[in-house]
Amino acid sequence: MTSVLYDAPGPKARVRHLVLGIVSTLLVLGIIVFIIWSFAETGQFTEAKWKIFTFPLVQQTILQAVGATLSAFAVAAVGSLVLGIVLAMGRLSDHRAVSVPFHWFTELFRAIPVLILMMMIYYGLPSIGIREGVTPFMAVVVALILYNGSVLAEVFRAGIEALPSGQREAGFAIGMRKYQVMQTILLPQAVRSMLPVIISQLVVTLKDTALGFIVTYNEILFQAKYFGSQAQYGSPIIPAAMVAGVLYVGMCLILSGLAKYAESRLRKSQRVSGPKKGTTALAAAQQASTNI
């Protein structure tokens, strides 16, 4: 088979790619084996290092940290999606008095690292006299919403602007208002087309909750750091990091799985209820307007 992007590899190129693939795989496996061997040589897999994680109270504390991580992620994810849609709508406004402030708000909070936002909220607000309601949870959630909402705003805006202009014009042609065209025709299609990017950003949001340990938020990394510093159990820093890593990887895989399931359901419903092949943009807009 040929490709319009590149020439199909010949016999020598296929052999070269196979050799490079085998060498790369062996190199990665060698690095993994070396890391595991180093951990074993330094006693990271001994019973003394892992004993602390057999205590029921420690296990309960870790479960509470998982709950704290998930609760911060849930609030931040919903807030980021809502803020992202609002900012995208503001940036797409025809009035410069509206679009310009939304543009600079989005660019500002996209440029500030999440960690700095958390520290500014938790340590900076009390220094200027704002102490009411400033908690580690609030600092983590607000920082995540501001940053990820600004990033998602660009995702939604790009998805909407990538749609054919005929769909917008067809909505106006049948008498729909701008907010109705955006809500009923453009935004649902933009969300569907940009869903993989949205999922990726939500996974980033989940992982960024780990930065909350800087502001003493009692999440997974905070507890792992605490348990890893217990000298009476041999300072199990590596085992604590392994436990935290497994928990984060597991939660990210579950989130990705749920998101892919939702994506497949959306695409399946689109094939079932979407406009038939050959339907004009005007007919599709009329069909969408019946749901208003």
Side-chain angles (χ1 to χ4, degrees):
M1 296 179 63
T2 60
S3 173
V4 297
L5 300 178
Y6 57 89
D7 294 332
K12 291 184 178 179
R14 287 197 294 268
V15 172
R16 184 166 61 250
H17 294 167
L18 178 61
V19 172
L20 290 175
I22 294 174
V23 171
S24 300
T25 302
L26 293 176
L27 181 62
V28 172
L29 290 176
I31 293 174
I32 294 174
V33 170
F34 174 75
I35 293 174
I36 295 175
W37 177 81
S38 299
F39 286 167
E41 283 293 307
T42 55
Q44 300 301 327
F45 298 123
T46 59
E47 181 182 357
K49 291 281 188 180
W50 290 85
K51 184 177 180 180
I52 187 174
F53 299 105
T54 63
F55 299 147
L57 184 59
V58 171
Q59 296 172 358
Q60 182 181 354
T61 304
I62 293 175
L63 289 178
Q64 291 174 351
V66 172
T69 297
L70 292 177
S71 61
F73 164 71
V75 177
V78 174
S80 299
L81 290 171
V82 173
L83 180 61
I85 292 175
V86 172
L87 293 176
M89 298 302 101
R91 290 205 60 180
L92 292 171
S93 174
D94 296 329
H95 305 284
R96 288 185 57 82
V98 176
S99 62
V100 171
F102 277 86
H103 166 77
W104 286 112
F105 182 93
T106 302
E107 293 300 322
L108 173 64
F109 286 104
R110 282 176 62 201
I112 301 178
V114 181
L115 183 59
I116 294 179
L117 284 175
M118 290 182 186
M119 295 179 67
M120 287 174 61
I121 294 172
Y122 188 71
Y123 298 111
L125 292 183
S127 66
I128 60 175
I130 303 176
R131 294 181 175 85
E132 188 67 27
V134 180
T135 62
F137 178 81
M138 188 272 284
V140 171
V141 168
V142 172
L144 290 174
I145 290 175
L146 290 175
Y147 176 77
N148 292 284
S150 299
V151 174
L152 288 173
E154 289 298 284
V155 173
F156 290 128
R157 185 178 67 86
I160 292 172
E161 291 185 339
L163 295 173
S165 59
Q167 299 199 22
R168 183 194 306 265
E169 296 167 357
F172 292 145
I174 61 174
M176 298 176 68
R177 296 180 180 276
K178 183 176 180 179
Y179 78 89
Q180 293 175 323
V181 173
M182 187 68 67
Q183 176 183 352
T184 310
I185 300 176
L186 301 182
L187 188 58
Q189 294 185 75
V191 170
R192 244 191 321 261
S193 62
M194 304 301 288
L195 195 56
V197 183
I198 297 172
I199 294 169
S200 299
Q201 192 59 39
L202 290 179
V203 172
V204 171
T205 305
L206 175 59
K207 292 189 293 185
D208 281 348
T209 57
L211 298 174
F213 86 97
I214 294 293
V215 294
T216 68
Y217 182 58
N218 191 12
E219 42 76 51
I220 296 174
L221 185 58
F222 181 84
Q223 288 298 332
K225 182 174 179 293
Y226 172 76
F227 291 134
S229 63
Q230 300 302 303
Q232 63 268 35
Y233 297 102
S235 298
I237 299 176
I238 299 299
M242 289 181 180
V243 172
V246 168
L247 292 174
Y248 277 114
V249 169
M251 290 189 296
C252 289
L253 290 177
I254 292 173
L255 175 61
S256 299
L258 293 175
K260 289 181 179 178
Y261 173 76
E263 181 182 3
S264 64
R265 296 284 297 180
L266 281 174
R267 296 191 184 279
K268 185 181 296 185
S269 64
Q270 182 184 16
R271 289 195 298 268
V272 172
S273 60
K276 296 181 179 179
K277 185 177 180 180
T279 303
T280 63
L282 180 60
Q286 289 174 336
Q287 180 181 356
S289 66
T290 59
N291 298 324
I292 301 177

